[in-house]
Amino acid sequence: MNLTDPFVLSIIAIVVLSLLGLPIGHAMIGGSILYLLVAGLDMGTVAEQILNGLYSSYILIAVPLFILAAELMNAGTITHRLLDFCNAIVGRFRGGLALVNVVQSVIFAGMSGSAIADAAGTGKMMQTMMTDRDRYPPAFAAALTAATAVIGPIIPPSIPVVLYALVSDASIGFLFLGGVIPGILMGAVQAGLIVATARRRNFPIEAPVPMRDLPVITLRACPALMMPVVLLGGIYGGATTPTEAAAVAALYALLVSAVLYSSITPGGLYGSLLASARTTASIGMLIAGALVFNYVVTVENIPETLRVFLGGYDLTPLGYLLLVNVILLALGCLLEGTTILLVVVPILIPTARDLGIDLVHFGIVVVINIMIGLITPPYGLLLFIMTSIAGVSLGSLIREVLPFLLAMLAALLLITLVPGTVLWLPRLLGYEN
Amino acid sequence: MFLAFIAQIVFRYLLNLPTGWTSELTVICWLWLILWGSAFVVRERDEIRFDLVYGAVRPSVRRWMAGMGALALIVLYLWSLPAVWDYVTFMKVQRTAYLKIRYDHLYAIYIVFVIAIVGRYLWLLWAALRGRAPTVAEPGSGGGSL
């Protein structure tokens, strides 16, 4: 380690600039400029990497479209109808509303690609319903909502999966398929935990919805329930690329909420567009920073160095996967997920490929890790969002989130150990590795 | 700001036409949306940042930190500007495949971006020097999209 080494200098610069509170994207661009400056390379490379990188990443356009689709569904009443539907099915059991929360997250996950959007949209509604007339302790409701929001991006569509596909060149269609079973597994684990504790904590039962009302409620929720079918059918039927499917999803969400449910106003549409433009630009800046920084990392041959370094330890593929889990979970406690995905994961991928780990399996494991990182203290975005929505203290929220966290870690371990949980469905539809 | 909306709408309605120029147009809109958006549309509290330390310190310390950070960023971006200018103007030799737009026109947004960012941080630096500590956004309000 030589302190005057350009690469070391640029890393120090990025860390210091981030600690000073600058946006991470700018910190990475700044650090990379410093690297080029000290190494005596052409600083125009910064512009070249950002512009060409963004210009050639057609797949990334899916990101703003998924954000827009989620915004539109939250602005409309799609989510209300979904909740009615879930309540009619699982509300009659002990801890009914808590189960509704899990089931709606699994279904909603098939429409939205963002955990943050899930928590801020349906999560807010669930929180109000669950704490109404003191049915559930607010901290428990908030913890559950944070935990179920994690499922959102594991089941397709998914923004983190799109980002992973970008850095790994793995097939986005098969990655989406691979996430389905792990996502449902996460939901099942959470539902199991609720059922296990429902009697002891004396959770209430909802008034059962009469069976004869079920067809009407299902019909009312049908256009919303069709969304995943439209989306995945489009991709796997070969009709559309993932990016086009994302566009179709956004258009479908707009049509359903505007025309069919007539629940969205021009003002609401404007708000949705503005919100998604803002989110897109801030995540885009991070992508731009990662593009330049990854160029620096490649010039310095860092992934190769890591591969040689780890090669000395005779790691088995499983050992490496477990090691990656530990690293990512530890980072997830401190860093924001997009940064980990775009900066750390590219360094880990070559070694995984070298060890013969399937990149679709690896990708889903990575994404689950990063999603769990959203609810690990001290830095967990979902925790922050739920404290502000529910008005509970961070401490009480963390206490309630802990059992869910442990349950999800157990599920993660299972998914890591048994690649079939991820790969079974893609293989069924023609994935070969 | 309106450009960003138009870009979004263009994405949606034109994507289904399977011709080359529409996908080219969407990529161009995407590029402009990000650089234009982060230069002019994104608010300070929307930014994705590491605020564990930044949010915990006293306002006076935070003011100092914001000033230092802004200064460093201004210096680095300005330093890279001549080389960036060379790169962008050099790209005039190429045109895009379908729309035949000259790349230097297309990529000029990066110059706009650099100048806007320098301007933005000069303003933040000035605010820090004048003694106004930057407010910290509520945790979790900015930059979540996962």
Side-chain angles (χ1 to χ4, degrees):
Chain A
M1 266 311 180
N2 183 351
L3 270 183
T4 51
D5 183 73
F7 184 66
V8 178
L9 263 181
S10 86
I11 297 281
I12 293 173
I14 292 173
V15 172
V16 170
L17 290 176
S18 307
L19 284 177
L20 285 175
L22 287 178
I24 294 174
H26 285 307
M28 283 195 286
I29 296 175
S32 306
I33 293 176
L34 188 67
Y35 170 83
L36 294 170
L37 184 68
V38 179
L41 298 169
D42 177 17
M43 282 186 286
T45 312
V46 176
E48 186 187 342
Q49 287 299 317
I50 292 179
L51 291 164
N52 287 338
L54 289 177
Y55 189 72
S56 59
S57 55
Y58 187 65
I59 204 168
L60 277 179
I61 301 175
V63 172
L65 293 166
F66 284 145
I67 296 173
L68 181 64
E71 286 282 346
L72 282 173
M73 282 187 291
N74 283 335
T77 57
I78 293 184
T79 43
H80 279 287
R81 289 166 193 249
L82 253 186
L83 289 183
D84 286 345
F85 172 73
C86 297
N87 190 32
I89 294 177
V90 292
R92 63 190 75 235
F93 303 110
R94 184 162 291 279
L97 266 184
L99 290 172
V100 169
N101 198 338
V102 176
V103 174
Q104 68 84 16
S105 280
V106 171
I107 299 177
F108 202 72
M111 296 184 270
S112 128
S114 152
I116 306 293
D118 291 3
T122 56
K124 197 183 265 176
M125 253 175 268
M126 279 313 305
Q127 182 72 25
T128 322
M129 279 169 68
M130 285 181 74
T131 50
D132 184 36
R133 281 178 278 135
D134 287 331
R135 278 189 280 200
Y136 292 85
F140 172 78
L144 178 63
T145 306
T148 57
V150 166
I151 300 172
I154 298 172
I155 295 180
S158 160
I159 292 169
V161 165
V162 173
L163 296 178
Y164 173 80
L166 174 82
V167 296
S168 72
D169 285 328
S171 147
I172 191 166
F174 288 126
L175 277 167
F176 274 179
L177 276 179
V180 174
I181 293 176
I184 293 174
L185 186 66
M186 301 294 255
V189 169
Q190 293 169 354
L193 191 64
I194 294 168
V195 172
T197 51
R199 193 162 292 279
R200 184 168 56 78
R201 296 187 65 166
N202 200 19
F203 287 149
I205 301 170
E206 303 307 308
V209 178
M211 276 300 176
R212 64 186 140 76
D213 289 349
L214 205 56
V216 180
I217 292 172
T218 311
L219 201 65
R220 275 167 49 88
C222 206
L225 291 174
M226 285 307 288
M227 176 84 148
V229 181
V230 170
L231 200 73
L232 294 179
I235 298 178
Y236 304 116
T240 49
T241 66
T243 310
E244 286 160 353
V248 174
L251 186 62
Y252 183 76
L254 180 65
L255 283 181
V256 168
S257 25
V259 181
L260 213 53
Y261 294 164
S262 58
S263 63
I264 201 163
T265 57
L269 179 62
Y270 180 87
S272 295
L273 282 171
L274 183 61
S276 41
R278 283 213 176 98
T279 317
T280 307
S282 66
I283 194 176
M285 207 58 252
L286 201 59
I287 293 172
L291 282 169
V292 201
F293 182 66
N294 285 342
Y295 168 78
V296 173
V297 166
T298 316
V299 170
E300 287 285 314
N301 227 348
I302 299 300
E304 183 60 24
T305 313
L306 180 79
R307 199 179 60 80
V308 172
F309 173 75
L310 286 176
Y313 284 88
D314 274 335
L315 271 178
T316 59
L318 191 62
Y320 183 66
L321 272 175
L322 292 174
L323 180 69
V324 166
N325 277 336
V326 173
I327 294 173
L328 291 181
L329 286 171
L331 286 174
C333 293
L334 297 172
L335 286 174
E336 191 270 336
T338 325
T339 320
I340 304 177
L341 200 49
L342 291 173
V343 179
V344 181
V345 173
I347 300 174
L348 300 174
I349 288 173
T351 311
R353 192 183 284 132
D354 221 48
L355 288 169
I357 297 171
D358 184 275
L359 283 187
V360 170
H361 181 224
F362 188 71
I364 298 300
V365 168
V366 161
V367 168
I368 296 175
N369 266 301
I370 286 167
M371 296 333 291
I372 291 179
L374 291 179
I375 59 165
T376 48
Y379 191 85
L381 270 181
L382 283 173
L383 295 179
F384 298 149
I385 289 174
M386 287 320 295
T387 46
S388 79
I389 288 178
V392 294
S393 75
L394 195 57
S396 62
L397 181 60
I398 290 172
R399 250 197 316 284
E400 288 281 9
V401 118
L402 218 52
F404 287 106
L405 192 57
L406 292 176
M408 282 194 280
L409 287 177
L412 172 63
L413 190 64
L414 179 71
I415 292 162
T416 311
L417 293 177
V418 189
T421 48
V422 175
L423 296 176
W424 180 74
L425 198 58
R427 279 190 183 135
L428 204 63
L429 284 140
Y431 175 66
E432 283 162 25
N433 55 314
Chain B
M1 194 179 287
F2 271 99
L3 249 160
F5 297 123
I6 295 164
Q8 294 268 10
I9 293 163
V10 168
F11 282 152
R12 282 207 317 271
Y13 294 103
L14 293 188
L15 258 175
N16 286 326
L17 309 175
T19 48
W21 69 270
T22 52
S23 65
E24 194 171 290
L25 188 60
T26 51
V27 197
I28 294 171
C29 287
W30 155 250
L31 179 67
W32 277 63
L33 168 71
I34 289 182
L35 292 176
W36 180 275
S38 37
F40 300 109
V41 184
V42 173
R43 297 161 301 185
E44 274 301 299
R45 64 186 175 90
D46 296 327
E47 298 273 21
I48 302 175
R49 59 179 94 232
F50 180 82
D51 49 11
L52 229 48
V53 177
Y54 186 68
V57 297
R58 287 199 315 276
S60 57
V61 181
R62 195 182 309 136
R63 198 185 108 205
W64 187 82
M65 284 166 67
M68 293 288 291
L71 189 64
L73 210 58
I74 293 165
V75 169
L76 285 170
Y77 269 111
L78 277 182
W79 209 319
S80 74
L81 194 55
V84 165
W85 179 269
D86 283 348
Y87 172 74
V88 171
T89 47
F90 165 75
M91 288 305 282
K92 70 170 179 277
V93 294
Q94 272 189 43
R95 282 168 190 268
T96 62
Y98 293 93
L99 295 172
K100 307 288 175 210
I101 298 174
R102 271 168 52 181
Y103 268 102
D104 58 336
H105 295 163
L106 188 59
Y107 282 2
I109 184 66
Y110 189 80
I111 308 267
V112 176
F113 163 77
V114 171
I115 293 169
I117 293 296
V118 168
R120 183 180 195 143
Y121 280 93
L122 274 175
W123 187 76
L124 288 175
L125 175 65
W126 176 243
L129 287 176
R130 286 283 301 275
R132 253 185 302 141
T135 50
V136 178
E138 209 172 285
S141 68
S145 55
L146 285 186

